[in-house]
Amino acid sequence: MMAPHRTARLTSLLAIITGLAWVAARVSGADGWVAEQAGFIPLRFAGATTGFIVPAWLTPWTATLVHGDSLHIILNLVMLVYCGRAVEQVLGALPLAILYLVGAVAAAAAQYLVDPTSAVPMIGASGAISAIVAVYALLFSRNEVRALGPIPAHWVRALWLAVAWTGVQWLLSFATVGSGHRIATAAHVGGFLVGLALARPLLAWRYRQA
């Protein structure tokens, strides 16, 4: 007997909320102000707190609701829906929520580590989505990976994915130099690495609950 098909309501809800937040900011014409208020600004954690409504500690999550142009929001929503639905059907809604929230924090922390004095808001859900992409890659990769000496096969797979993802992100950052678009490379890598680290614990927890 086949198991019942699981829905992916949380992924759909995240996509809808994220999309509506972008539309609201664009329609109001206050998208620049919203980015300043809700974006993650590393310098705020060094004491620059004057003139902000959103508390600094909350901005790793509020930044996921803020996006730049239409290409930015479309690419993020496509990745979220495509990978998120598949991951949610395996892990369930609560583990996916944990993955997304922790991924957002890891992305912000990584960006802070590489540029702690930056006053430029980091916006977008890419870091949190990178955590989901990492789990998707681990769950649905079809390439057979063997153990490397004392390193188990699942860790070898994770290491290869981490190296590949980091390389792609750095290539993208170099390719967009001078284009006016700044890619938060460290944030993408930070979210992805946390996704790799959380994949097996969340999967084990899911099946213990089941």
Side-chain angles (χ1 to χ4, degrees), residues 49-210:
T49 58
T50 305
F52 295 100
I53 297 174
V54 180
W57 63 267
L58 195 59
T59 56
W61 297 300
T62 57
T64 65
L65 299 173
V66 186
H67 289 79
D69 56 20
S70 56
L71 180 62
H72 189 199
I73 184 67
I74 289 171
L75 287 176
N76 274 356
L77 290 182
V78 168
M79 291 298 293
L80 172 61
V81 172
Y82 183 81
C83 296
R85 287 179 62 85
V87 171
E88 185 176 352
Q89 288 174 5
V90 175
L91 294 183
L94 181 56
L96 182 75
I98 294 171
L99 182 65
Y100 193 82
L101 294 173
V102 176
V105 173
Q111 194 65 27
Y112 176 84
L113 287 175
V114 299
D115 198 0
T117 61
S118 174
V120 179
M122 183 191 78
I123 59 173
S126 304
I129 295 171
S130 293
I132 294 175
V133 173
V135 177
Y136 178 88
L138 282 175
L139 290 176
F140 299 102
S141 174
R142 296 182 179 180
N143 293 333
E144 183 179 352
V145 178
R146 296 180 180 179
L148 186 62
I151 305 175
H154 65 272
W155 279 114
V156 174
R157 184 188 301 276
L159 288 171
W160 275 116
L161 288 171
V163 170
W165 182 260
T166 302
V168 168
Q169 296 307 313
W170 284 114
L171 286 174
L172 285 174
S173 68
F174 287 131
T176 54
V177 170
S179 67
H181 292 84
R182 296 184 61 179
I183 296 178
T185 303
H188 294 180
V189 173
F192 193 85
L193 293 178
V194 163
L196 293 178
L198 289 179
R200 286 176 67 85
L202 288 177
L203 190 62
W205 177 44
R206 171 66 179 174
Y207 280 97
R208 281 199 302 269
Q209 297 297 317

